[in-house]
Amino acid sequence: MLDSTLQATYDQVLRRNPGEPEFQQAVREVFESLEAIQDRHPEYQDHSILMRLCEPERQIIFRVPWVDDQGSVQINRGYRVEYNSALGPYKGGLRFHPSVNVGIVKFLGFEQIFKNSLTGLPIGGGKGGSDFDPHGRSDGEVMRFCQSFMTELHRHMGEYTDVPAGDIGVGAREIGYLFGQYKRLTNRYEAGVLTGKGLDWGGSLVRKEATGYGAAIFADEMLKARGSSVDGRRVAVSGSGNVALYAIEKVAQLGGIPVTASDSSGYVVDENGIDLALLQQIKEVERGRIHEYAERRGGGARFVNGGSVWDVPVDIALPGATQNELDIEAARTLVKNGVLAVSEGANMPCTPEAVSVFRAADVAFGPGKAANAGGVATSALEMQQNASRDAWSFEHTEQRLTEIMRGIHARCLETADEVGRPGDYVVGANVAGFRKVADAMIAFGVI
Ligand code: NAP
């Protein structure tokens, strides 16, 4: 049970947002953290900040008609939730996956507000997407879908208004089609309107790698705070998309041994350490399935159909696929196997019950808002480069990313200490992210 004021607001959130369990889960987690500062900040209650924060500034839902390769008309639903612009233009990715609905987009947008605040960069929070599934679709079909999606979305975007990027199902190919259509419709080469662009047309070095790199760096920082590091540790990574691939790369650079990868069909275990070049070839180039990795790698690598990637004994877990993929049973198994740290590369991949298990076992737990903020932070660096018509080197950009991740880690720890919850990164991230947004909202008056 939350304290009575927070509970009353939360009850109102439940009433106004029925049938949106992921959104309710994300709100509840933030409210639980805010109990730590509730008494010190009556002004937040006086200004109804929480209720205002739980209501998106704008939600856009639209029809996306397109023609498939057989000549049939297909209809999908498009979403953009422009959640909060207190700190800057709405910023957050687009997700193309059959599970996408308004509740999922709202949960992701809500998380994004605090994550973006934590980066220290001037970006607000938003998220969008569609129930379109790019798997198994030809390039022509993906292009026609993206063009139709952008034909509506472009009216709501702008480098000072709303700046989307990628997420599940939206990578370099989709961003290319989306940017091309935006440019054609507006007759403007407005590079700063989308991030995750190709390097030849306004993209930033390190953006592709940034979320995965950041999650691995965050795990390293958490372990360093406890006198240890990723070096020499066995690491389980879930997923084999953008976040997972580059988490695997950074883990290996830090001296760790990434031993797993997965997709929705199962997972692979490779005791010799995942061969990143082979995994990239299968996943990024050929858009293949994860079992092909075990078949082509040989030498003891094996594919497990079903089961859980979290059954593999490891020192560090980096969930990098999707929400609620790591439940209480998985958490218990990881703890039994001696896990030291969990760093969320994906958004809300651990259920609340799993997080409680990690807390009780004193596992260092980095919530997605902090641990995967490297992606959006580097998107903001891409916007900076676009604004100054500049292109930074890989080394410079990676250095900025590393500094930002270390800064977020330090801010979480300092805030957790300040509010009497030492070592609690969830409370640290939520409180630090929330306060900046809340203070800005108060400064702007009732808008
Ligand atoms: P991605 O490139 O599309 O990869 C997603 C991976 O997760 C794929 O291997 C996919 O397998 C797997 N997956 C997705 N949904 C699944 C499900 N319901 N069950 C099992 N496996 C599933 O996406 P991504 O960009 O890496 O994003 C992964 C996570 O990181 C998401 O939670 C996203 O919100 C978060 N995130 C991403 C970024 C970013 O910069 N991209 C930034 C911050 C947070 P299949 O191919 O079989 O579906």
Side-chain angles (χ1 to χ4, degrees):
M1 199 65 178
L2 295 162
D3 99 1
S4 58
T5 318
L6 287 166
Q7 184 65 43
T9 311
Y10 185 62
D11 287 342
Q12 213 172 328
V13 170
L14 294 181
R15 271 197 303 280
R16 298 184 85 166
N17 303 278
E20 297 179 0
E22 294 86 0
F23 175 62
Q24 296 168 1
Q25 180 183 334
V27 171
R28 185 169 178 102
E29 185 212 276
V30 171
F31 278 25
E32 283 173 359
S33 295
L34 295 181
E35 284 189 314
I37 56 164
Q38 175 75 349
D39 295 340
R40 306 188 198 182
H41 290 287
E43 71 275 21
Y44 296 152
Q45 204 187 320
D46 296 344
H47 293 268
S48 293
I49 291 298
L50 279 181
M51 206 53 232
R52 283 158 67 186
L53 252 176
C54 289
E55 194 61 28
E57 290 174 14
R58 191 176 299 112
Q59 304 182 58
I60 303 145
I61 302 183
F62 51 100
R63 181 173 68 194
V64 189
W66 57 283
V67 180
D68 69 16
D69 285 348
Q70 284 68 49
S72 300
V73 176
Q74 300 282 338
I75 303 294
N76 286 98
R77 192 173 285 174
Y79 303 89
R80 187 71 182 166
V81 172
E82 297 184 332
Y83 216 121
N84 189 293
S85 59
L87 299 183
Y90 309 108
K91 183 87 199 83
L94 297 171
R95 176 177 292 191
F96 292 169
H97 192 273
S99 64
V100 166
N101 57 44
V102 70
I104 295 218
V105 179
K106 274 163 68 182
F107 122 65
L108 291 163
F110 185 75
E111 295 271 296
Q112 198 82 45
I113 304 169
F114 309 105
K115 179 190 308 189
N116 293 2
S117 166
L118 263 182
T119 66
L121 298 163
I123 38 180
K127 201 80 187 191
S130 171
D131 58 358
F132 172 73
D133 186 358
H135 285 108
R137 291 292 181 188
S138 69
D139 285 352
E141 290 179 314
V142 171
M143 179 186 76
R144 290 192 293 280
F145 172 81
C146 288
Q147 289 176 341
S148 181
F149 184 88
M150 186 53 82
T151 300
E152 173 58 34
L153 189 67
H154 85 281
R155 322 169 200 283
H156 310 286
M157 295 167 52
E159 64 177 311
Y160 296 107
T161 310
D162 187 353
V163 184
D167 191 81
I168 291 177
V170 179
R173 173 182 60 171
E174 289 75 16
I175 293 290
Y177 295 144
L178 291 165
F179 185 67
Q181 183 73 349
Y182 182 87
K183 185 171 79 62
R184 176 197 203 188
L185 289 167
T186 58
N187 196 30
R188 280 165 65 86
Y189 205 108
E190 195 183 334
V193 79
L194 265 176
T195 58
K197 297 182 295 297
L199 296 177
D200 292 334
W201 37 278
S204 171
L205 285 163
V206 193
R207 174 60 190 93
K208 181 174 73 166
E209 294 83 356
T211 310
Y213 275 21
I217 293 168
F218 201 86
D220 200 42
E221 289 298 305
M222 290 196 296
L223 287 172
K224 281 183 178 152
R226 294 174 170 218
S228 169
S229 75
V230 167
D231 192 18
R233 303 283 182 194
R234 280 166 61 86
V235 183
V237 177
S238 65
S240 48
N242 176 258
V243 174
L245 286 172
Y246 296 98
I248 287 170
E249 181 165 69
K250 182 52 80 180
V251 162
Q253 287 173 7
L254 292 170
I257 309 149
V259 290
T260 69
S262 71
D263 66 16
S264 52
S265 67
Y267 66 94
V268 290
V269 188
D270 187 343
E271 293 295 342
N272 295 320
I274 294 285
D275 176 343
L276 182 67
L278 175 60
L279 189 61
Q280 278 177 309
Q281 175 64 27
I282 293 168
K283 283 297 186 178
E284 281 189 330
V285 181
E286 300 170 19
R287 297 181 188 274
R289 305 305 287 161
I290 198 75
H291 67 85
E292 295 167 42
Y293 176 88
E295 286 151 20
R296 282 154 69 171
R297 170 82 155 148
R302 61 192 166 89
F303 170 64
V304 183
N305 186 354
S308 166
V309 68
W310 312 118
D311 293 340
V312 180
V314 287
D315 305 305
I316 300 166
L318 294 179
T322 194
Q323 65 272 2
N324 293 327
E325 55 162 306
L326 197 165
D327 62 12
I328 187 167
E329 286 310 319
R332 285 182 180 141
T333 306
L334 282 166
V335 167
K336 183 166 65 66
N337 288 333
V339 74
L340 301 171
V342 178
S343 181
E344 291 189 325
N347 283 311
M348 210 169 72
C350 299
T351 64
E353 298 78 21
V355 177
S356 299
V357 170
F358 294 138
R359 271 206 180 103
D362 195 30
V363 173
F365 175 74
K369 277 185 204 87
N372 71 38
V376 74
T378 309
S379 275
L381 301 183
E382 182 173 330
M383 291 162 73
Q384 283 183 27
Q385 293 169 75
N386 294 151
S388 56
R389 300 189 189 284
D390 198 359
W392 303 346
S393 69
F394 193 96
E395 293 68 27
H396 175 68
T397 318
E398 190 181 18
Q399 184 55 34
R400 290 284 307 266
L401 168 66
T402 306
E403 283 162 11
I404 289 168
M405 293 312 298
R406 289 185 179 146
I408 292 172
H409 176 268
R411 216 163 298 138
C412 289
L413 272 192
E414 282 159 21
T415 309
D417 273 349
E418 180 206 320
V419 302
R421 298 285 291 273
D424 191 328
Y425 291 92
V426 176
V427 171
N430 284 331
V431 170
F434 169 82
R435 278 199 299 219
K436 277 178 62 182
V437 179
D439 293 344
M441 287 173 74
I442 291 174
F444 294 152
V446 180
I447 56 168

